[in-house]
Amino acid sequence: MNIDYQKLSNVPRLLLEAKLRPLQGHRFQPTGFADLGPARYILPDGTDMLLVESAQSVANRMELACWSQAKDDLIDELRGLPYIRVNKPGNQEALTNSVLEAHRINSPYILEGQDKSIFDRLKQDIAGLENGPVDIRALAKLILKYDPNAVIHGVFLAKKELAGGRLRLPRLLSGFVEASAARAAASGGVKNDRVNPSGDTKQGFGNVPFHRTEFTAGEIKADFNLDLALLRGYDLQDAATKLLITLSLFKIQRFLSTGLRLRTACDLEIDGALTVTRPDGFMIPGEDGLLKECTRLIGECKDQFAAPPITEVEWKSSKKSAVKKGGGEETEDAADRNGIEDAGDDQ
């Protein structure tokens, strides 16, 4: 099945949804927030709702759809897609990259180290954006050059040296998962100390009882929104526009097929098929078809990408980014992408 781009040429949004269900049993653990706990809310008609996965978390998970953890690189079909790789000091071993970093190109590991090559290159490339309103079309072309994923998921170059910290692209693609008719399922357990059950729990000894709250729901649904009006406003070349659409659809399909183990106690699967709610009549190809189209379009967009496609920078902490601790040893804060929820989102 080929993508009918013509059906998307005059509509503001492409809206999709997919019903989900727990892979086993009925209970699931939603996302939680340190100062809030589970995000529960009530609709005007009295329906109890629950946020299962937030927009920022779903964005992070869709980014991972393009990445091979085993090869520490893009999946084979997407090779040639540009991104920025951060290497460890003194060698070519990868430390992190703009695809996995919470703030993408705005990552401190890219812009705040001693190696200022990327920072200086960006500063040179945005020379025409320093004064007056930001030309969003020129900015989109610039970000596309170094990392098209950042165009899809948004980026905020919040450095005053870069056009006064005004360079920002909103998300093109967003998604969230919520549950309706949600009900709490309370349970608990005990951490047993078989040697000294009455030991000092503050030091990790002794038996420690705990409570646990999971949920059931009448329906769990994932919603996705691709902002086509915003994308058209970037005035990119036709092949680049098609690539961003196709890559976005692939991210959605791959997230639904392989990325729904959101937590240990929240393992979901799609219940039915991914459905287009707007526009009417638009059909989505499967993952294989989308990947083949991405590969073709990456080849057509080479002249719009950085050459080589992987732009490298070496991470060495600057005095500004280093933190003095204890006996004066310098350490850096590590970017934590394992805590997917609320892992720094720019938009």
Side-chain angles (χ1 to χ4, degrees), residues 284-296:
I284 303 175
E287 284 184 41
D288 291 343
L290 290 168
L291 269 180
K292 288 179 182 178
E293 179 72 349
C294 282
T295 301
R296 181 185 74 82

Side-chain angles (χ1 to χ4, degrees), residues 200-221:
D200 187 351
T201 57
K202 292 182 179 180
Q203 297 184 31
F205 300 105
N207 288 354
V208 181
F210 61 89
H211 69 272
R212 181 185 186 92
T213 302
E214 295 169 302
F215 287 84
T216 63
E219 182 181 74
I220 306 173
K221 190 172 67 172

Side-chain angles (χ1 to χ4, degrees), residues 6-44:
Q6 186 60 35
K7 278 188 175 295
L8 304 179
S9 60
N10 294 307
V11 295
R13 307 282 188 275
L14 173 58
L15 304 182
L16 310 98
E17 65 179 28
K19 291 183 179 180
L20 309 177
R21 65 188 177 196
L23 187 62
Q24 294 178 300
H26 303 281
R27 294 169 297 151
F28 60 91
Q29 180 187 12
T31 184
F33 302 86
D35 57 348
L36 179 66
R40 306 177 71 175
Y41 45 102
I42 301 174
L43 298 183

Side-chain angles (χ1 to χ4, degrees), residues 94-162:
L95 174 67
T96 186
N97 59 76
S98 60
V99 177
L100 302 183
E101 275 296 289
H103 295 288
R104 305 173 191 98
I105 292 177
N106 194 51
S107 164
Y109 295 97
I110 294 173
L111 300 181
E112 295 289 355
Q114 293 182 32
D115 183 348
K116 294 294 184 183
S117 58
I118 301 298
F119 183 91
D120 292 340
R121 191 179 303 185
L122 287 173
K123 191 170 184 179
Q124 179 180 352
D125 288 346
I126 65 160
L129 305 177
E130 294 284 353
N131 300 310
V134 173
D135 185 343
I136 198 74
R137 295 168 299 177
L139 179 59
K141 292 177 176 65
L142 171 61
I143 300 301
L144 179 79
K145 175 181 177 180
Y146 293 108
D147 188 350
N149 283 284
V151 181
I152 291 174
H153 296 292
V155 68
F156 182 19
L157 295 175
K159 302 289 182 289
K160 64 181 181 180
E161 299 89 348
L162 300 176

Side-chain angles (χ1 to χ4, degrees), residues 53-321:
E53 204 73 359
S54 70
Q56 58 267 29
S57 180
V58 170
N60 292 333
R61 294 181 186 280
M62 287 194 289
E63 287 176 290
L64 292 176
C66 297
W67 196 256
S68 169
Q69 297 289 353
K71 297 180 180 179
D72 197 24
D73 202 345
L74 292 169
I75 58 177
D76 292 342
E77 295 86 348
L78 298 181
R79 298 286 178 88
L81 205 62
Y83 67 92
I84 299 173
R85 183 172 69 196
V86 183
N87 295 325
K88 295 179 180 178
N91 59 51
Q92 295 299 304
E93 185 178 353
L95 174 67
T96 186
N97 59 76
S98 60
V99 177
L100 302 183
E101 275 296 289
H103 295 288
R104 305 173 191 98
I105 292 177
N106 194 51
S107 164
Y109 295 97
I110 294 173
L111 300 181
E112 295 289 355
Q114 293 182 32
D115 183 348
K116 294 294 184 183
S117 58
I118 301 298
F119 183 91
D120 292 340
R121 191 179 303 185
L122 287 173
K123 191 170 184 179
Q124 179 180 352
D125 288 346
I126 65 160
L129 305 177
E130 294 284 353
N131 300 310
V134 173
D135 185 343
I136 198 74
R137 295 168 299 177
L139 179 59
K141 292 177 176 65
L142 171 61
I143 300 301
L144 179 79
K145 175 181 177 180
Y146 293 108
D147 188 350
N149 283 284
V151 181
I152 291 174
H153 296 292
V155 68
F156 182 19
L157 295 175
K159 302 289 182 289
K160 64 181 181 180
E161 299 89 348
L162 300 176
R166 299 179 297 128
L167 303 181
R168 176 173 178 169
L169 291 182
R171 283 196 196 113
L172 288 174
L173 177 64
S174 58
F176 58 89
V177 182
E178 62 182 2
S180 59
R183 296 290 184 271
S187 62
V190 178
K191 189 280 289 184
N192 287 308
D193 184 338
R194 64 188 183 90
V195 176
N196 184 10
S198 60
D200 187 351
T201 57
K202 292 182 179 180
Q203 297 184 31
F205 300 105
N207 288 354
V208 181
F210 61 89
H211 69 272
R212 181 185 186 92
T213 302
E214 295 169 302
F215 287 84
T216 63
E219 182 181 74
I220 306 173
K221 190 172 67 172
D223 286 274
F224 304 94
N225 183 329
L226 180 58
D227 193 335
L228 298 169
L230 178 62
L231 175 57
R232 288 194 293 271
Y234 291 161
D235 194 29
L236 300 171
Q237 293 184 24
D238 185 60
T241 297
K242 290 179 177 178
L243 174 61
L244 295 177
I245 291 172
T246 306
L247 186 57
S248 296
L249 294 176
F250 168 73
K251 286 169 178 281
I252 294 171
Q253 291 277 39
R254 180 57 64 92
F255 167 64
L256 292 173
S257 66
T258 66
L260 288 175
R261 193 170 194 266
L262 306 179
R263 282 161 290 280
T264 302
C266 191
D267 200 354
L268 307 176
E269 66 178 356
I270 191 168
D271 184 10
L274 178 63
T275 303
V276 177
T277 59
R278 295 183 191 176
D280 292 336
F282 181 75
M283 304 295 290
I284 303 175
E287 284 184 41
D288 291 343
L290 290 168
L291 269 180
K292 288 179 182 178
E293 179 72 349
C294 282
T295 301
R296 181 185 74 82
L297 291 168
I298 288 170
E300 290 191 10
C301 292
K302 282 185 178 179
D303 61 337
Q304 301 172 64
F305 294 160
I310 300 177
T311 305
E312 298 184 85
V313 63
E314 184 180 65
W315 168 249
K316 287 184 179 179
S317 64
S318 64
K319 292 181 179 179
K320 180 179 177 180
S321 63

